[in-house]
Structure formats: structure tokens, C-alpha cells
Amino acid sequence: MKTPLVFSLVKEQSMFMTIIMSILSFLSILSLGIALSIGTGVINWNNQWKQSATIQILHGNNVNNVKKIFDENKNSIVSINEISKAEMEKIVQPWVSNGAKLTDYLPQTFEVKFKTTEDMKRIGAQINLHAKFLTHIHALQSSISTGWKMVTITSFVLIMMLISIGICISYISRNVATLHRHELEILNQVGATDSFVARQMQIIVSKISGLAAIIGFVVAVPILLLILSSAHSARIGMLAMLALSNIDWIILALLPILIVILSIYITKKTTLKILADN
């Protein structure tokens, strides 16, 4: 036979705490999802460009030397794309006054993708003797750094939300103990152990935190998908790389479970401390 609860929250109190916990769970899951998607985006962005470089040849007599290096190392190169003068003019035109002629001043430019990072470093050292060799990773370092900073910020927000959940659970336990002080005294008189009372509290709080975690997850997932969809639609730099891998989704699904476990643990610690003080 199922053992009935000795005491429980009143309806208004239960609804209020469920709403508060749902909001905190939602913000926690959303923060974790954003942190994971940005982190995945940074990694994808880094992997996309880590073996690519731009070569700018300022003097025409160095073109043959660079092309010779290309021919000697063709087995280490995936692709070579020469950017035409017209394309270069189109790229820099917004920063040039109307009517200016740039043909004579623009470098001859190649975009090269290498098979490995080691190949890029080795061939880059040879090309540097005749042209300007710029790795895409170096050029995009500020964007990558900004991405990791955003991950740090969202992770900090996640930690703040988990701390808030802990405080909220502690408040629930103390509030219930205060409202049902008379029942606690009766339980002590009939010989109920502290662990029995703590278990009663854990059942109450686990129901609230479990329902709140489910609500938070169900609401957060569509918003995360909307954020990812908007980022992909923008097709702007690293934003287009934002994504959640299968492992990320598993981690995201484990967070509500972690919230419930954290709630049960804090409830037990708080209740035992209250009983010890009394």
C-alpha cells in the first residue's frame, strides 16, 4: 500500500513554486542550449578555415615563383582559387571613393585550401619568401575569441540559474517546515526519524521540480530551434555555423534530470538542518 504524505503544500503555494521553478528551469535549459550551440558553431567555424589561407602577391615577378611552389606541392593542396581583379575591386569598392581605379594597386590573390595544417605551415613558410601568406584562422581569431566569450557569458548565466534553483528549493523546504511545525512536533513525539521527515519533504519537492523541469524543457526547445533557424537563415559568418549535435541534445535532456536530483539533495540537506536546529 502506498504510504500517504504526512503534510504537503497548499494549492496556491504549490502553484507559485511550480511557476517559479518552471521559469528558472526554462532559463537554465535555454542558457545551456545557447552555450552548446555557440560552442559547436565556434568549433565548426574553426574546422572550416583552419587549413585555408589567402596569398597576396604584391609584385608581378613573384607570381611565377608562387605558382612553382604550388606545382611542387600539388599533392598537399586540396584546391586553389584565384580571385580576379574584378572580384577584388568589388570587395573593396565600398571603402573607395567613386571613380577610383584600383587595378594597378590590387595584389594578385589566391585562396588555397591545404590537406593538413602541417602542409599549410610548411608551404606557407616557402610562400612567405615571395608573397604575403595569411591564414584564415589568424584573420578570424577575433571572431573565434568573441564566440568563446559568449559561451563563457551564457555558462555564467546557467550557473546563476542553478544557484537560484538551489535557493528556491531551500526556501520551499524552510517554508513547508515553518507552516507545518505542529505536524513536525507530533512526528517527533511518535518517534519518526529525521530521515523519514526528510523523505516526505523530498517527495513534495521532487514532484514540483520534476513538473517544472518538464515544462521548462518543453518551452525551451522550440525557442532554441527558432534561434538556430534564424541564425542559419542569416547566413552571416559564424552565425550560420550554430548547431546542436546529438551529444548536445543528450546533455540538454540530462539537465532537467540534474535539476530534479539537485532539488532532492538540497531538500534533504535543508530539512535535516532545520530538524537539527529544532
Side-chain angles (χ1 to χ4, degrees):
M1 180 181 294
K2 185 177 179 181
T3 304
L5 291 176
V6 177
F7 47 80
S8 62
L9 295 175
V10 296
K11 182 178 179 181
E12 292 77 9
Q13 193 180 38
S14 177
M15 288 180 61
F16 174 76
M17 296 313 302
T18 301
I19 292 171
I20 293 297
M21 286 288 294
S22 297
I23 294 172
L24 292 174
S25 298
F26 162 74
L27 293 175
S28 299
I29 295 167
L30 187 63
S31 298
L32 178 60
I34 292 174
L36 290 173
S37 61
I38 294 175
T40 302
V42 172
I43 293 172
N44 291 342
W45 182 254
N46 185 68
N47 290 338
Q48 181 181 8
W49 300 112
K50 68 179 181 180
Q51 294 167 3
S52 299
T54 296
I55 299 168
Q56 296 178 349
I57 306 173
L58 301 176
H59 303 289
N61 56 349
N62 288 330
V63 174
N64 292 333
N65 294 327
V66 171
K67 288 185 176 180
K68 182 179 178 181
I69 295 173
F70 287 160
D71 292 336
E72 292 174 350
N73 297 276
K74 59 184 178 181
N75 292 329
S76 301
I77 296 174
V78 176
S79 62
I80 301 173
N81 176 38
E82 182 176 359
I83 301 177
S84 66
K85 295 287 186 179
E87 290 176 314
M88 287 292 293
E89 283 187 337
K90 187 176 180 180
I91 292 172
V92 301
Q93 195 63 51
W95 291 272
V96 180
S97 59
N98 294 334
K101 297 297 182 180
L102 304 175
T103 308
D104 296 333
Y105 304 97
L106 293 175
Q108 190 163 355
T109 305
F110 296 88
E111 286 185 348
V112 183
K113 185 172 183 179
F114 300 90
K115 288 187 176 180
T116 66
T117 304
E118 289 70 24
D119 290 334
M120 183 174 67
K121 291 179 180 179
R122 176 176 55 81
I123 299 172
Q126 301 175 28
I127 293 175
N128 261 330
L129 300 174
H130 309 284
K132 193 172 184 179
F133 187 85
L134 302 170
T135 62
H136 289 180
I137 284 295
H138 179 74
L140 299 171
Q141 196 60 48
S142 59
S143 298
I144 293 172
S145 177
T146 300
W148 288 123
K149 288 178 182 177
M150 293 173 65
V151 171
T152 302
I153 293 171
T154 51
S155 298
F156 178 76
V157 173
L158 171 62
I159 293 172
M160 291 296 100
M161 289 299 103
L162 292 177
I163 292 174
S164 298
I165 289 173
I167 295 172
C168 186
I169 294 301
S170 179
Y171 168 77
I172 294 175
S173 302
R174 291 181 182 277
N175 197 31
V176 172
T178 301
L179 290 175
H180 299 277
R181 186 179 298 275
H182 181 63
E183 288 89 337
L184 288 176
E185 293 174 354
I186 295 175
L187 287 172
N188 287 331
Q189 290 174 4
V190 299
T193 62
D194 289 351
S195 60
F196 173 81
V197 178
R199 196 177 305 114
Q200 297 284 311
M201 295 290 292
Q202 285 177 304
I203 293 172
I204 296 170
V205 173
S206 64
K207 288 182 178 180
I208 293 175
S209 59
L211 177 60
I214 292 173
I215 294 173
F217 185 82
V218 170
V219 176
V221 167
I223 294 179
L224 277 173
L225 293 175
L226 180 62
I227 292 172
L228 293 177
S229 176
S230 300
H232 295 166
S233 298
R235 297 183 180 181
I236 299 174
M238 194 169 62
L239 279 176
M241 298 287 110
L242 300 187
L244 286 171
S245 65
N246 292 334
I247 295 177
D248 292 338
W249 281 112
I250 292 174
I251 294 173
L252 206 60
L254 289 176
L255 181 58
I257 299 174
L258 175 62
I259 290 174
V260 175
I261 294 173
L262 178 66
S263 301
I264 294 173
Y265 174 79
I266 294 175
T267 299
K268 182 178 180 180
K269 288 292 183 181
T270 303
T271 304
L272 291 177
K273 185 177 184 302
I274 293 172
L275 294 173
D277 291 342
N278 292 334

